[in-house]
Amino acid sequence: MSDGTALAGPDGVPRCPWALSTEDYVAYHDEEWGRPVHGDDVLYERLCLEAFQSGLSWITILRRREGFRAAFSGFRIAEVAAFTEADQERLLADPGIIRNRAKIEATVANARVLAEWSPGDLDALIWSHAPDPATRQVPKTLADVPAVTPESTALAKALKKQGIRFVGPTTAYALMQACGLVDDHLETCVARGAPL
């Protein structure tokens, strides 16, 4: 039983305990989670996937990510913004994604909002909510990692104010963790402060 501190994986390297349950998680943890992500389309993808994850395990989304990319035109904002009602019905029948009508509708509606923004606006808005790393305690155990922060609450409010749907403070914080706005790798985790 873990006390929430980093644990040695099969290769003997210490990692955040959540990363050790599957090979998919190990790769995601080591290569992606907590690394800075920039670009409107890729941040839109991450925002959408975090919304689809709401109420589910992240592994469910991670294992369907390629199916999501195929279904949503690689999460290219301009292309998803042009989706029709027929496209949304097609998505509801697609076994490669999570077939949740509200989440599908929000994904398309959000693309329509973002298609009206100038290039770089989504990236700038999201990254403007990154906290100063010097103000954050380095987590020693999983219990030290918050689910919501003042910054994630502010980010969720800012996105909602702009018309972005299906994002609350918890989803916003998961996005911040995944996209490197914060480094929540545990103190003794091999990926803590990893080169980018």
Side-chain angles (χ1 to χ4, degrees):
M1 185 81 171
S2 171
D3 61 0
T5 60
L7 296 175
D11 57 2
V13 175
R15 291 182 178 86
C16 300
W18 64 262
L20 299 175
S21 62
T22 73
E23 288 182 18
D24 294 328
Y25 268 162
V26 171
Y28 176 70
H29 170 272
D30 289 2
E31 299 165 17
E32 292 186 62
W33 193 77
R35 306 284 177 101
V37 173
H38 286 282
D40 293 341
D41 287 342
V42 70
L43 285 167
Y44 166 68
E45 174 184 344
R46 299 293 183 90
L47 186 64
C48 293
L49 294 178
E50 293 295 348
F52 272 101
Q53 186 270 329
S54 182
L56 302 171
S57 169
W58 177 245
I59 197 68
T60 303
I61 304 303
L62 191 59
R63 289 180 173 160
R64 286 181 171 83
R65 185 161 54 172
E66 291 310 315
F68 275 106
R69 287 174 173 164
F72 286 99
S73 300
F75 289 99
R76 289 179 292 276
I77 293 168
E79 292 181 32
V80 179
F83 277 18
T84 63
E85 290 295 323
D87 288 313
Q88 292 185 55
E89 291 303 316
R90 168 185 57 82
L91 292 167
L92 283 168
D94 188 334
I97 67 169
I98 303 301
R99 295 173 285 182
N100 177 297
R101 183 178 295 276
K103 293 177 182 181
I104 290 169
E105 289 175 354
T107 299
V108 175
N110 290 345
R112 290 176 181 158
V113 169
L114 295 171
E116 300 298 318
W117 293 17
S118 296
D121 281 356
L122 179 60
D123 190 298
L125 175 68
I126 289 173
W127 277 90
S128 73
H129 290 82
D132 178 352
T135 66
R136 303 190 83 238
Q137 294 289 324
V138 175
K140 291 179 173 49
T141 72
L142 291 178
D144 298 330
V145 178
V148 174
T149 63
E151 294 87 359
S152 74
T153 300
L155 175 57
K157 286 181 182 176
L159 289 167
K160 285 181 182 180
K161 184 176 180 183
Q162 296 296 325
I164 302 299
R165 295 166 36 187
F166 231 100
V167 58
T170 303
T171 299
Y173 193 66
L175 175 76
M176 293 171 75
Q177 291 174 304
C179 296
L181 280 76
V182 296
D183 183 354
D184 276 345
H185 287 286
L186 301 182
E187 183 177 47
T188 56
C189 174
V190 67
R192 175 87 198 166
L196 308 177

